[in-house]
Amino acid sequence: MSNDNRLNIQLSIRSKVFVSLCILIFSFLGTVAFVSQQYLMDQFIALEQDGLKRNMRRIHNSLNLEKTYLDNMTANWGNWDECYEYVQHRNPKFGPDNIALVSFNSLKLELIGVWDTKYKFVMGKKFDLVNQKEEKFPEQLDAYVQKNFKESVKKPPKNLTDYVATPYGLMVLSLAVVTDTAVTKPPLGALIMGRMLNKKFIEHMKDVTQADLDILLYDKNFKEPLLHGKLENLLYSKNNFMSFPLS
């Protein structure tokens, strides 16, 4: 066998070995990629979802604490002899003396309103605590109280806490019937207190929960393309949580 033939055979063997190694390497990489995609990525997504669920629980718990605080403040004012006399138009000084900026600052509230025994609006104020200025009281809250308290006043006193859209943004409200301090007399009139879910509130929630969050008002004018179509599914599902990857 000539030297040229031997050289050709050696080159052919080396080429086959090289091709075989390349096939083996690419097969290995493909297998690793497949396993990573099917297992590791799923595990990573599961861990991310667990973390998001923990954050959501912290957020819900923090919101419930805020609602509990608001409920307590509303109950304290609603079960107050002076307020009870005020809704019966027997203590005219109560409103000007107590529904003032100093009360809003000390209680960390942005809205207080009072309705009398005939569910007629007596007095209410809305303050912007960031800029320390009074704003127009939201008129639609009158209809809200009429709807929710006309029947509640006939029942044992119980606060109603809700999220309500106002011209100033989303607000959490606590509504209570008004009775005496000892809660022995029939409830008369209604009292509401509210806090705005504004940027200051959201920053406070971020500090408390250590989570990056935002609160969006969902209505017919909702224009968040990232969430378009997903909130409808969430609203009609049994779960109150949804997670999805961002592309």
Side-chain angles (χ1 to χ4, degrees), residues 41-42 44-56 226-227 230-231 233-234 237 239-247:
M41 186 60 69
D42 289 344
F44 177 75
I45 292 175
L47 289 174
E48 285 291 311
Q49 289 182 337
D50 288 341
L52 288 172
K53 289 179 181 179
R54 285 194 297 271
N55 287 342
M56 290 299 294
L226 179 64
L227 301 177
K230 294 182 173 62
L231 287 180
N233 296 332
L234 183 61
S237 70
N239 300 318
N240 62 352
F241 173 82
M242 176 184 291
S243 65
F244 51 90
L246 302 178
S247 58

Side-chain angles (χ1 to χ4, degrees), residues 62-78 104 107-113 159-164 170-176 191-197 201:
S62 297
L63 285 173
N64 286 334
L65 287 175
E66 296 291 338
K67 289 166 66 176
T68 299
Y69 169 79
L70 197 59
D71 283 344
N72 290 337
M73 291 299 101
T74 310
N76 287 340
W77 277 48
F104 287 86
L107 298 175
K108 297 180 180 179
L109 299 174
E110 277 116 336
L111 183 139
I112 301 175
N159 285 25
L160 172 65
T161 306
D162 203 356
Y163 296 100
V164 179
L170 193 62
M171 172 178 282
V172 56
L173 285 179
S174 181
L175 303 90
L191 169 77
I192 66 172
M193 291 182 171
R195 300 182 76 173
M196 295 299 304
L197 304 187
F201 180 87

Side-chain angles (χ1 to χ4, degrees), residues 11-30:
L11 290 175
S12 178
I13 294 173
R14 289 176 182 175
S15 298
K16 291 179 180 179
V17 171
F18 176 76
V19 171
S20 298
L21 287 174
C22 289
I23 293 173
L24 182 62
I25 291 172
F26 283 115
S27 298
F28 174 76
L29 292 176

Side-chain angles (χ1 to χ4, degrees), residues 140-149 160 162 164 173 175:
Q140 70 268 35
L141 293 183
D142 183 53
Y144 185 82
V145 169
Q146 300 287 340
K147 176 182 177 182
N148 290 283
F149 273 83
L160 172 65
D162 203 356
V164 179
L173 285 179
L175 303 90

Side-chain angles (χ1 to χ4, degrees), residues 15-223:
S15 298
K16 291 179 180 179
V17 171
F18 176 76
V19 171
S20 298
L21 287 174
C22 289
I23 293 173
L24 182 62
I25 291 172
F26 283 115
S27 298
F28 174 76
L29 292 176
T31 302
V32 170
F34 177 80
V35 172
S36 299
Q37 183 68 27
Q38 298 298 315
Y39 179 76
L40 296 179
M41 186 60 69
D42 289 344
Q43 292 297 314
F44 177 75
I45 292 175
L47 289 174
E48 285 291 311
Q49 289 182 337
D50 288 341
L52 288 172
K53 289 179 181 179
R54 285 194 297 271
N55 287 342
M56 290 299 294
R57 283 195 293 269
R58 288 201 297 267
I59 292 168
H60 278 292
N61 290 338
S62 297
L63 285 173
N64 286 334
L65 287 175
E66 296 291 338
K67 289 166 66 176
T68 299
Y69 169 79
L70 197 59
D71 283 344
N72 290 337
M73 291 299 101
T74 310
N76 287 340
W77 277 48
N79 301 340
W80 190 0
D81 288 338
E82 293 185 16
C83 186
Y84 192 64
E85 293 176 356
Y86 181 63
V87 298
Q88 300 175 75
H89 302 283
R90 297 192 309 207
N91 184 13
K93 292 184 178 180
F94 175 84
D97 288 349
N98 292 279
I99 306 178
L101 180 59
V102 61
S103 298
F104 287 86
N105 282 323
S106 62
L107 298 175
K108 297 180 180 179
L109 299 174
E110 277 116 336
L111 183 139
I112 301 175
V114 182
W115 279 254
D116 67 11
T117 57
K118 297 181 179 180
Y119 315 105
K120 182 180 178 181
F121 179 69
V122 179
M123 182 178 182
K125 288 189 177 183
K126 162 74 173 68
F127 275 99
D128 177 359
L129 296 185
V130 176
N131 298 307
Q132 292 290 290
K133 66 177 183 180
E134 186 175 354
E135 298 176 322
K136 183 180 179 182
F137 192 87
E139 295 179 356
Q140 70 268 35
L141 293 183
D142 183 53
Y144 185 82
V145 169
Q146 300 287 340
K147 176 182 177 182
N148 290 283
F149 273 83
K150 212 160 189 177
E151 293 300 323
S152 298
V153 76
K154 300 176 184 178
K155 302 174 184 178
K158 184 178 180 181
N159 285 25
L160 172 65
T161 306
D162 203 356
Y163 296 100
V164 179
T166 73
Y168 307 104
L170 193 62
M171 172 178 282
V172 56
L173 285 179
S174 181
L175 303 90
V177 293
V178 178
T179 184
D180 62 308
T181 303
V183 198
T184 57
K185 298 180 180 179
L188 299 171
L191 169 77
I192 66 172
M193 291 182 171
R195 300 182 76 173
M196 295 299 304
L197 304 187
N198 50 23
K199 291 182 179 179
K200 183 178 180 180
F201 180 87
I202 292 172
E203 290 301 321
H204 167 69
M205 290 290 294
K206 287 181 178 180
D207 291 337
V208 171
T209 62
Q210 294 297 301
D212 189 14
L213 63 98
D214 199 359
I215 299 175
L216 305 177
L217 178 61
Y218 181 71
D219 58 14
K220 63 181 180 180
N221 299 317
F222 189 77
K223 297 179 180 179

